[in-house]
Amino acid sequence: MSTSTSSNALFALVDVNNFYVSCERVFQPKLAEVPMVVLSNNDGCAVARSAEVKALGVKMGTPWFQMKDLAKKHGIQAYSSNYTLYGDMSSRVVQVLREFTPNLEVYSIDESFLQIETVLKQYQDAIELGQKIKRQVKETTGLPVCVGIGASKTLAKLANHLAKKHQQFAGVCDVSAMAKDELYQWMSETEVAEVWGVGKQIAKRLKAQNIQSVFDLLQASPQAMRQQFGVVMERLCYELRGTSCLQLEEVAPAKQQIIASRSFGKLVTSQAELAESVATHVARAAEKLRTQNSTTGALTVFIQTNPFKQNEPQHHQGVTIPLADPTDNTLVLTNAALAGLKQIYQANFRYKKAGVILNLISDKPTAQQSLFDDLETKGKSAHLMKAVDEINTRFGNAVIRSAAAGTNSTKEEWQMRSGNRSPNYTTRWDELPIAR
């Protein structure tokens, strides 16, 4: 069993409250107390809800059309997902957190773990550090966060849950500083499903064994839990006891498969429109590939009709194109993907979705080279891709793209619906917020 390098490890989990909603409110203060939701791709389901909407009983994933009457009655505002804005705001939060400690793991777009035992000497206690983190993130980005602190990542996650749910903690909870009786009381009042890594199905199985609360799981035998649920559950049991078994992943592991796909805003019938979509997905996947300094040795392209329209003819097919030479070049990958699309496309179907999958991913420095490689051409290709990425990073996503990806006017016909997307306030010059 892997354990932390320090027996006195202390972790802080910093989590942005209602992240997507909060990002929208930063640039539109008038929404501060307005009930609002952020919708999924094609404005389908609620993927983020303000506290006001949660209080109305709206569940995560509720379709927007089912909320229409409730929205009209309570004035619920709906916004389309703006992942460009959310990604940039997430990066800004992480930049602030790195000012406190270099020992940081970006766990998700709105959560980061910090290992803080080495920086505590600058503060009266961990609560003071947590409050300073909370203030500085708010002052720098405008986003509200809660901070949970514990001797393990699992306890830090639990502490963050308590900080969010109970106002008495003022947004910062340190379970490592609690007396055991107090901690056990909070654990007894918290459902076992709230433990990090315990999903709905595992929670049902645990409850069938009368393990209802976090405290019940704390008292369970780690060895018995391992026999029934595996090594991960055993580690969670030890983590709840304050033994750090899950180390900080300061460098995110490179993805072994990259998928880029999206449903269309309208059903598509022509090969030309599908080709634009596929080329767009290839560009996005290739950019991610270059970001992690990898190459791909095979590419899969797939298309599918809408499986929910069972009264219509169905066609769902994909094909994998092996590459003679592993690459990260968008143009090479686009050519391969379009060749694959040509093989699987069939007329007289109404397609709902297309996408690409990059397989056989390897580190670029260790990728197998061909005896017949043209090193000069490869060098020019690398410089071209670097220039494209730098320009797109500076001036906005897809400012430079392949002709196969189409123009903005043609993409409007098939691209994802986002009828109420907020501007990209932080990443496009022409969408900067204006103070009036």
Side-chain angles (χ1 to χ4, degrees), residues 106-121:
V106 180
Y107 178 65
S108 66
I109 193 170
D110 60 345
E111 295 176 285
S112 292
F113 284 104
L114 287 68
Q115 197 158 346
I116 60 173
E117 70 273 5
T118 58
V119 298
L120 275 182
K121 60 184 178 181

Side-chain angles (χ1 to χ4, degrees), residues 309-324:
K309 290 185 176 291
Q310 297 182 1
N311 59 328
E312 293 190 4
Q314 297 291 314
H315 181 224
H316 182 184
Q317 191 171 353
V319 63
T320 298
I321 308 296
L323 304 171

Side-chain angles (χ1 to χ4, degrees), residues 23-74:
C23 287
E24 300 291 350
R25 285 175 166 173
V26 166
F27 298 97
Q28 298 190 70
K30 64 182 181 181
L31 297 173
E33 296 182 2
V34 173
M36 60 178 292
V37 295
V38 175
L39 302 176
S40 61
N41 294 344
N42 290 310
D43 294 343
C45 305
V47 292
R49 303 153 296 153
S50 68
E52 297 81 7
V53 171
K54 291 178 183 178
L56 293 173
V58 176
K59 303 297 184 183
M60 179 71 81
T62 302
W64 173 238
F65 74 87
Q66 292 183 5
M67 287 186 272
K68 290 292 180 70
D69 291 340
L70 193 67
K72 188 174 182 180
K73 180 178 180 181
H74 295 280

Side-chain angles (χ1 to χ4, degrees), residues 6-21:
S6 172
S7 59
N8 297 315
L10 196 62
F11 297 90
L13 176 64
V14 181
D15 185 3
V16 183
N17 303 338
N18 303 323
F19 180 60
Y20 293 173
V21 168

